Amino acid sequence: MATDETTSNAQNTVTPTAEVSISSVLSEKRKFPPPADFALNAHVSSMAEYEKLYAAAEADPEAYWAGLAEKFHWFKKWDTVLEWNSPFAKWFKGGKTNICYNALDVHVKSWRKNKAAIIWEGEEGDQRVLTYGELHRQVSKFANVLKIAGIKPGERVAIYMGMVPELIIAVLACARVGAVHNVIFAGFSAHAITERVNDSRAKMVICADGTRRRGGSINLKNIVDEAIVNTPSVRSVVVLKVTNEEVHMHNGMDHWWHDLMGLAADECEPAQLDAEHPLFVLYTSGSTGKPKGILHTTAGYMVHAASSFKYVFDIKDEDIYFCTADVGWITGHTYMAYGPLLCGATMLMYEGAPNYPQWDRFWDIINRHKVTIFYTAPTAIRAFIRAGNEWVTKHNLSSLRLLGSVGEPINPDVWMWYHKVVGQERCPIVDTWWQTETGGIMVSPLPGATPTKPGTATRPLPGIMVDVVHKDGTPCVANEGGYLVIKKPWPSMLRTIYGDDARYEKTYWSDFNDMYFTGDGARKDEDGYVWIMGRVDDVVNVSGHRLGTSEVESALVSHEAVAEAAVVSRPDELKGNALVAFVTLKDEYVGDMTLREALRNHVAKEIGPIAKPDEIRWAKGLPKTRSGKIMRRLLRELATSNEIKGDVTTLEDFGVLETLRDQESD
Ligand code: PRX
């Protein structure tokens, strides 16, 4: 199937900031056309069809997006497709709709009423199936709970739960009444919750008593109790019983989910919301210590979430779609909570860890439920490779017809393993590039049309205009590394950073003059395929989780022993990237193993266990320029190879470098 050609090597470099260089080594020439039988039945079934769609959307983007928007239910149709006051967009202005209505009511009024919407499997093997009819009933009830609690359209509701259907019910109920959900990943610490709840001034927190993890459980309510001591905006906490943890219910403030649901009616008229009504805030890391509240709004997000889901996953009514992402991240928002439901699909939701009780849990699920589409992250695939093929091959995976990858660059070898061992050389792979900010997939193969190459997300979707440019905004030539930008507004783009328009403008729109800057380095090859080369800012992907190195630095510096800290990443075979912290201690402290562990735990407490540095090196001083800027490039080199090959002429004190090498790591 593959056209195996010889490999070539070409080195390309650009210097995006004073400190970062993008280099790319081309070595991948294999190409996999879509299998003929897949293409035959696909929504888009040839490259010619894709090119035609792409050209039409490029010629008239507004007509293209309006055509997609017409497929939804509108209480009132829009007056203007796009109002663009750069960099602020209003899509489908004047229109009134409700995303929850489009995700549920539309199907409940059709034959899909009794179709499975969510097939849920708990870590212990317990199962629940919610049909569209039942999900609609539960969501309507919980929407009434929100109303009874006095939640008004536009008010924020924080949600902190494990992967149970009620998480999706809570999200959709917010959308139904026009409340703005702010889902906080259940791995985040009390401090991280406080920060997010305060920044969004959430009125309510919805949580579970606990969440199951690898046979044990984590008490989430206790974490919420600690978090909301310092959140004056919170008026009430709704607690779902999942694990039967011992929890303290505070009079007047805390309410059981089941008590409130018991009182609520099961019909709730959806709010007729403006197209630009805020839908959710989702916090993500940026290059400063403070996480950014990415704001998405109703109609534009709905249009792209649904249409990208339909075309990228080639979804059909018969499919069982399994996405392993957590709803606490954008992938879970767009491709679990919204995209599949807007398309009337059946999705499989799994509560727990991929290796519980053993490394074959996902493959066992796929076999038992006859999953047809599987969407996961490279970091998980790398862990499966390490665990051994036998975990996969002992299961019958013949139901699978399409595989997806998201969150990080997928290394060609990992892609090939996924293709051969999981896909049995039969399933196309969609490597989907996008971001919290983009709301939905931007660059991805269309599985019935696009020939894939291991390691590239291939071409942008119709309506999405991306380019790779130099620092001055001029386009790079084929295979030249540069900055990935988006040239035209798209409906599911973030509208702002919650409460901080200035930061929104500065972060995304100030570097490349009216083009959105993604923060990623990339190159386009001779076929126009986009190869992501990773972040060029201080954001790192660790095990598929996005972290700002400065956030981790802030956490370290908040420890009493730390005078200064710089955190960089180095490549890691399993996690994609690992975090290495260079820490200068206050004079009275001595760096030893105990303090290393204390600092790692401190970061876990401040942010969450995902942010724990993999390695901490003690530094008498950090390498700085004469103007006092930490030379992170040197630290990255040290962390990666223990050597410095790059330019050190701007370094102020050469002596500090010596102390940073060759330390025993954790
Ligand atoms: O660097 C890119 C990487 O993940 C970043 C976005 O992270 P986040 O907002 O957490 O969203 C992740 C899930 C959509 C991007 O700037 N990234 C995401 N997908 C890919 C990727 N890098 C390479 N290939 C991908 N398919």
Short mmCIF file of all heavy atoms in Angstrom, two decimals, residues 485-506:
data_model
loop_
_atom_site.label_atom_id
_atom_site.label_comp_id
_atom_site.label_asym_id
_atom_site.label_seq_id
_atom_site.Cartn_x
_atom_site.Cartn_y
_atom_site.Cartn_z
N VAL A 485 0.82 30.18 10.78
CA VAL A 485 -0.18 31.24 11.01
C VAL A 485 -1.49 30.86 10.33
O VAL A 485 -1.52 30.00 9.45
CB VAL A 485 0.29 32.60 10.44
CG1 VAL A 485 1.50 33.13 11.17
CG2 VAL A 485 0.54 32.51 8.93
N ILE A 486 -2.56 31.50 10.77
CA ILE A 486 -3.86 31.32 10.12
C ILE A 486 -4.25 32.67 9.54
O ILE A 486 -4.27 33.68 10.25
CB ILE A 486 -4.90 30.76 11.12
CG1 ILE A 486 -4.35 29.46 11.71
CG2 ILE A 486 -6.24 30.51 10.42
CD1 ILE A 486 -5.11 28.91 12.90
N LYS A 487 -4.54 32.66 8.25
CA LYS A 487 -4.62 33.93 7.54
C LYS A 487 -6.00 34.58 7.56
O LYS A 487 -6.12 35.76 7.32
CB LYS A 487 -4.16 33.73 6.10
CG LYS A 487 -2.70 33.33 5.99
CD LYS A 487 -2.16 33.47 4.59
CE LYS A 487 -2.78 32.44 3.68
NZ LYS A 487 -2.17 32.44 2.34
N LYS A 488 -7.01 33.76 7.80
CA LYS A 488 -8.37 34.31 7.77
C LYS A 488 -9.13 33.85 9.01
O LYS A 488 -8.92 32.74 9.49
CB LYS A 488 -9.12 33.76 6.55
CG LYS A 488 -8.71 34.33 5.21
CD LYS A 488 -9.74 35.37 4.83
CE LYS A 488 -9.59 36.01 3.52
NZ LYS A 488 -8.58 36.62 2.96
N PRO A 489 -10.04 34.69 9.52
CA PRO A 489 -10.84 34.24 10.67
C PRO A 489 -11.68 33.01 10.32
O PRO A 489 -12.04 32.83 9.15
CB PRO A 489 -11.75 35.43 10.98
CG PRO A 489 -11.59 36.40 9.87
CD PRO A 489 -10.38 36.04 9.09
N TRP A 490 -11.94 32.17 11.30
CA TRP A 490 -12.76 30.98 11.08
C TRP A 490 -13.79 30.93 12.22
O TRP A 490 -13.56 31.51 13.29
CB TRP A 490 -11.87 29.73 11.02
CG TRP A 490 -11.17 29.41 12.31
CD1 TRP A 490 -11.49 28.44 13.20
CD2 TRP A 490 -10.00 30.08 12.86
NE1 TRP A 490 -10.61 28.46 14.26
CE2 TRP A 490 -9.70 29.45 14.09
CE3 TRP A 490 -9.20 31.15 12.44
CZ2 TRP A 490 -8.64 29.86 14.90
CZ3 TRP A 490 -8.14 31.55 13.25
CH2 TRP A 490 -7.87 30.91 14.47
N PRO A 491 -14.92 30.26 12.00
CA PRO A 491 -16.04 30.42 12.95
C PRO A 491 -15.74 29.98 14.37
O PRO A 491 -16.26 30.57 15.32
CB PRO A 491 -17.15 29.55 12.35
CG PRO A 491 -16.77 29.31 10.95
CD PRO A 491 -15.29 29.46 10.83
N SER A 492 -14.93 28.93 14.56
CA SER A 492 -14.72 28.43 15.93
C SER A 492 -13.46 29.01 16.56
O SER A 492 -12.94 28.46 17.52
CB SER A 492 -14.62 26.90 15.91
OG SER A 492 -13.47 26.51 15.18
N MET A 493 -12.98 30.13 16.02
CA MET A 493 -11.81 30.75 16.64
C MET A 493 -12.17 31.29 18.03
O MET A 493 -13.32 31.65 18.29
CB MET A 493 -11.31 31.91 15.77
CG MET A 493 -12.32 33.01 15.60
SD MET A 493 -11.79 34.23 14.37
CE MET A 493 -10.74 35.25 15.37
N LEU A 494 -11.18 31.33 18.92
CA LEU A 494 -11.43 31.97 20.21
C LEU A 494 -11.83 33.42 19.95
O LEU A 494 -11.37 34.03 18.99
CB LEU A 494 -10.21 31.89 21.11
CG LEU A 494 -9.04 32.86 20.86
CD1 LEU A 494 -8.13 32.89 22.05
CD2 LEU A 494 -8.25 32.52 19.63
N ARG A 495 -12.67 33.97 20.80
CA ARG A 495 -13.07 35.35 20.61
C ARG A 495 -12.19 36.32 21.38
O ARG A 495 -11.99 37.45 20.98
CB ARG A 495 -14.54 35.53 21.02
CG ARG A 495 -15.51 34.75 20.15
CD ARG A 495 -15.38 35.14 18.68
NE ARG A 495 -16.47 34.61 17.88
CZ ARG A 495 -16.45 33.46 17.20
NH1 ARG A 495 -15.36 32.72 17.19
NH2 ARG A 495 -17.50 33.06 16.50
N THR A 496 -11.70 35.84 22.50
CA THR A 496 -10.78 36.66 23.30
C THR A 496 -10.22 35.78 24.41
O THR A 496 -10.58 34.60 24.51
CB THR A 496 -11.50 37.90 23.89
OG1 THR A 496 -10.52 38.77 24.46
CG2 THR A 496 -12.54 37.53 24.94
N ILE A 497 -9.34 36.35 25.20
CA ILE A 497 -8.96 35.72 26.47
C ILE A 497 -9.89 36.34 27.50
O ILE A 497 -10.00 37.57 27.58
CB ILE A 497 -7.48 35.99 26.80
CG1 ILE A 497 -6.59 35.26 25.78
CG2 ILE A 497 -7.15 35.56 28.22
CD1 ILE A 497 -5.12 35.57 25.90
N TYR A 498 -10.55 35.49 28.26
CA TYR A 498 -11.61 35.97 29.14
C TYR A 498 -11.12 37.15 29.99
O TYR A 498 -10.14 37.03 30.72
CB TYR A 498 -12.10 34.83 30.03
CG TYR A 498 -13.37 35.18 30.74
CD1 TYR A 498 -14.58 35.16 30.06
CD2 TYR A 498 -13.36 35.57 32.07
CE1 TYR A 498 -15.75 35.52 30.70
CE2 TYR A 498 -14.53 35.93 32.71
CZ TYR A 498 -15.72 35.91 32.02
OH TYR A 498 -16.87 36.27 32.64
N GLY A 499 -11.80 38.27 29.82
CA GLY A 499 -11.49 39.45 30.61
C GLY A 499 -10.20 40.15 30.24
O GLY A 499 -9.73 41.02 30.97
N ASP A 500 -9.59 39.79 29.13
CA ASP A 500 -8.29 40.39 28.82
C ASP A 500 -8.08 40.52 27.31
O ASP A 500 -7.25 39.85 26.70
CB ASP A 500 -7.17 39.52 29.44
CG ASP A 500 -5.86 40.27 29.59
OD1 ASP A 500 -5.72 41.34 28.96
OD2 ASP A 500 -4.98 39.79 30.31
N ASP A 501 -8.84 41.44 26.71
CA ASP A 501 -8.73 41.67 25.26
C ASP A 501 -7.30 42.04 24.85
O ASP A 501 -6.83 41.66 23.78
CB ASP A 501 -9.67 42.80 24.83
CG ASP A 501 -11.13 42.37 24.81
OD1 ASP A 501 -11.39 41.16 24.97
OD2 ASP A 501 -12.00 43.24 24.65
N ALA A 502 -6.64 42.79 25.71
CA ALA A 502 -5.30 43.26 25.35
C ALA A 502 -4.34 42.07 25.23
O ALA A 502 -3.54 41.99 24.29
CB ALA A 502 -4.79 44.24 26.41
N ARG A 503 -4.46 41.13 26.16
CA ARG A 503 -3.58 39.96 26.09
C ARG A 503 -3.91 39.11 24.85
O ARG A 503 -3.03 38.55 24.21
CB ARG A 503 -3.74 39.11 27.37
CG ARG A 503 -2.71 38.01 27.47
CD ARG A 503 -2.78 37.25 28.79
NE ARG A 503 -1.83 36.15 28.79
CZ ARG A 503 -1.86 35.14 29.65
NH1 ARG A 503 -2.77 35.10 30.60
NH2 ARG A 503 -0.96 34.17 29.58
N TYR A 504 -5.20 39.05 24.52
CA TYR A 504 -5.63 38.33 23.31
C TYR A 504 -4.96 38.92 22.08
O TYR A 504 -4.36 38.21 21.27
CB TYR A 504 -7.16 38.43 23.21
CG TYR A 504 -7.75 38.07 21.88
CD1 TYR A 504 -7.77 36.75 21.42
CD2 TYR A 504 -8.32 39.06 21.06
CE1 TYR A 504 -8.33 36.43 20.19
CE2 TYR A 504 -8.88 38.74 19.84
CZ TYR A 504 -8.89 37.43 19.40
OH TYR A 504 -9.43 37.11 18.18
N GLU A 505 -5.03 40.24 21.98
CA GLU A 505 -4.44 40.90 20.81
C GLU A 505 -2.93 40.69 20.76
O GLU A 505 -2.37 40.35 19.72
CB GLU A 505 -4.71 42.41 20.90
CG GLU A 505 -5.81 42.83 19.98
CD GLU A 505 -6.01 44.33 19.90
OE1 GLU A 505 -6.55 44.89 20.87
OE2 GLU A 505 -5.64 44.91 18.87
N LYS A 506 -2.32 40.83 21.92
CA LYS A 506 -0.86 40.76 21.96
C LYS A 506 -0.38 39.33 21.68
O LYS A 506 0.55 39.11 20.92
CB LYS A 506 -0.38 41.22 23.34
CG LYS A 506 1.11 41.23 23.48
CD LYS A 506 1.55 42.05 24.67
CE LYS A 506 3.06 42.14 24.74
NZ LYS A 506 3.73 40.83 24.69
#
